[in-house]
Amino acid sequence: MPSGRTPEQFTKRSLVAVSHAIERAALAEAEDGPLVVLALFQRLPYFTREREVYRRIAGHAAVTVVAMVGGPPPDLPEGAYGVTLDEAEALAREWTVVALSPRFGATLVAHDRAEVAPAPTLEAGRLFEGRWGFRRDEALHEVIRLREQLAERLPAAARTALDEAIARVRDIPAGPGEPRAEAALRMLARRGDRNHQPIEPPETMLDEPGLARWSGADGVTASGTLPVALVGLRVEAPPGSPERFGRRGVAREGHAVLTAITAVLRPVDRAVRVTENEFQLVLPGLDEPAALEVVRRLHDAIGALARSYPFMAYIVHAAVGVTTRRPLPTADLRAAVDWAVRKGLPVAGLPPENADAVAAPAH
């Protein structure tokens, strides 16, 4: 973007707020001349919740383009043009909304960092980096950029409408009120961010319904975006432990195991206790080597408990994998842990669908 702006960091929640502000402003300006709106949504579920807004935009705009991996939905609003993005192309990582008319322009261009910040849900905490503004020259630049990259995937009528809008905007000077309006919007955005800061640290150990809510199974989320490392863990006490040490001692030792597990978690991580001795850790943004390092630390921490609780040499089996699937493949993770237990492996890999678990090197 030719503005010299310093890139900003967005959470998904703040990104949605800016997107909605641009869409509302575009609708308000639609009567002042040919309106062009282009939006990159990454995946279909993120467009689905905005379909009604884009139906209204398409009804007023000269051209409306929506693009996403996997292709546009069959019920795309009338008047909107859909573009299919390839998962490997750079545009697939963008969350972009651009609106342009002869006297108005607004731009949000954000690139997915495949990372996450602490937030009430996994989706809300996704991190992007980019710029936004209500400057017509910036919007014109972005319309030209996207027109060049998407032209071969647009019908002739859409290309012609884009070209006519670009030519008309170039002939009209920008309005003097743009900087003042943008400054006011930025002040409101900063206030909104402050109002949404978490007051208390979130719980890291959830139950299974809580994990489903946090990871997006009950809300708007999509496969193929944020990579998440999964660790399944089964911690088995030596046979006969309750009889030898008493129920109270076993409860204390179980609490020590739980403390050792939660101690390895970052603020963005979550864990769920599946059974009395089985756990699942969700580690957003980590790759497999980093997840295996977490398992190594868990082995060391749980093994060290024998120094505090003599003769309690716990047996630990784990499964590790990285996924972009939603909902998270927690059933596959449990199956991989079962496989590790049957084979006597300290660590197994989370298998692809319809494949057997494969051994991963223990760290």
Side-chain angles (χ1 to χ4, degrees), residues 199-216:
I199 297 173
E200 297 180 356
E203 291 293 328
T204 56
M205 184 66 68
L206 306 174
D207 56 16
E208 291 184 72
L211 181 65
R213 288 190 297 271
W214 175 79
S215 63

Side-chain angles (χ1 to χ4, degrees), residues 33-361:
L35 173 67
V36 170
V37 176
L38 299 99
L40 309 183
F41 278 93
Q42 292 197 308
R43 299 298 193 278
L44 175 60
Y46 304 131
F47 172 75
T48 299
R49 70 180 299 175
E50 310 297 341
R51 181 183 282 107
E52 175 58 24
V53 171
Y54 278 81
R55 183 192 65 77
R56 294 171 57 201
I57 288 174
H60 290 86
V63 58
T64 303
V65 177
V66 296
M68 64 201 75
V69 172
D75 54 347
L76 193 68
E78 184 178 354
Y81 298 96
V83 174
T84 300
L85 301 178
D86 186 275
E87 190 166 1
E89 69 178 302
L91 290 180
R93 306 299 300 173
E94 281 192 32
W95 186 294
T96 291
V97 181
V98 182
L100 177 69
S101 74
R103 300 192 182 280
F104 165 77
T107 305
L108 166 65
V109 179
H111 299 269
D112 194 340
R113 291 178 51 178
E115 299 172 3
V116 66
T121 66
L122 179 63
E123 188 70 30
R126 289 175 59 203
L127 289 176
F128 295 74
E129 187 173 79
R131 304 174 180 90
W132 69 273
F134 281 71
R135 304 291 183 96
R136 206 190 54 174
D137 61 334
E138 295 173 4
L140 174 61
H141 172 82
E142 291 304 324
V143 168
I144 293 172
R145 175 182 73 94
L146 292 173
R147 191 255 185 245
E148 291 174 350
Q149 295 191 57
L150 302 177
E152 298 304 317
R153 287 171 275 186
L154 287 170
R159 293 197 299 269
T160 299
L162 283 172
D163 291 342
E164 290 175 351
I166 289 168
R168 183 165 180 183
V169 169
R170 279 174 166 162
D171 292 337
I172 300 175
E178 283 186 351
R180 292 193 298 272
E182 181 181 273
L185 287 164
R186 288 186 177 278
M187 182 179 68
L188 291 172
R190 287 193 295 271
R191 287 179 179 175
D193 284 343
R194 287 196 298 267
N195 291 340
H196 285 93
Q197 293 300 318
I199 297 173
E200 297 180 356
E203 291 293 328
T204 56
M205 184 66 68
L206 306 174
D207 56 16
E208 291 184 72
L211 181 65
R213 288 190 297 271
W214 175 79
S215 63
D218 299 336
V220 177
T221 188
S223 297
T225 53
L226 177 71
V228 173
L230 299 176
V231 173
L233 196 70
R234 188 173 300 174
V235 183
E236 298 179 329
S241 297
E243 290 77 12
R244 285 187 291 165
F245 301 106
R247 296 289 178 182
R248 183 174 298 177
V250 170
R252 286 199 305 269
E253 290 141 15
H255 179 73
V257 169
L258 192 63
T259 300
I261 291 171
T262 56
V264 306
L265 300 179
R266 303 167 299 165
V268 298
D269 299 332
R270 296 294 184 273
V272 59
R273 190 171 196 166
V274 182
T275 67
E276 186 66 25
N277 67 336
E278 188 170 340
F279 306 85
Q280 294 185 344
L281 280 58
V282 183
L283 313 172
L286 291 192
D287 58 15
E288 189 166 301
L292 286 167
E293 172 61 20
V294 170
V295 172
R296 185 196 65 76
R297 290 165 55 201
L298 284 167
H299 272 278
D300 290 348
I302 294 171
L305 295 178
R307 293 195 293 269
S308 300
Y309 303 97
F311 312 112
M312 289 296 288
Y314 287 99
I315 302 168
V316 179
H317 298 281
V320 175
V322 177
T323 183
T324 60
R325 288 164 53 191
R326 305 293 187 274
L328 298 171
T330 53
D332 291 349
L333 187 63
R334 292 200 71 184
V337 172
D338 287 339
W339 191 85
V341 171
R342 290 197 305 272
K343 297 296 183 179
L345 295 172
V347 187
L350 179 64
E353 287 186 274
N354 303 319
D356 292 331
V358 294

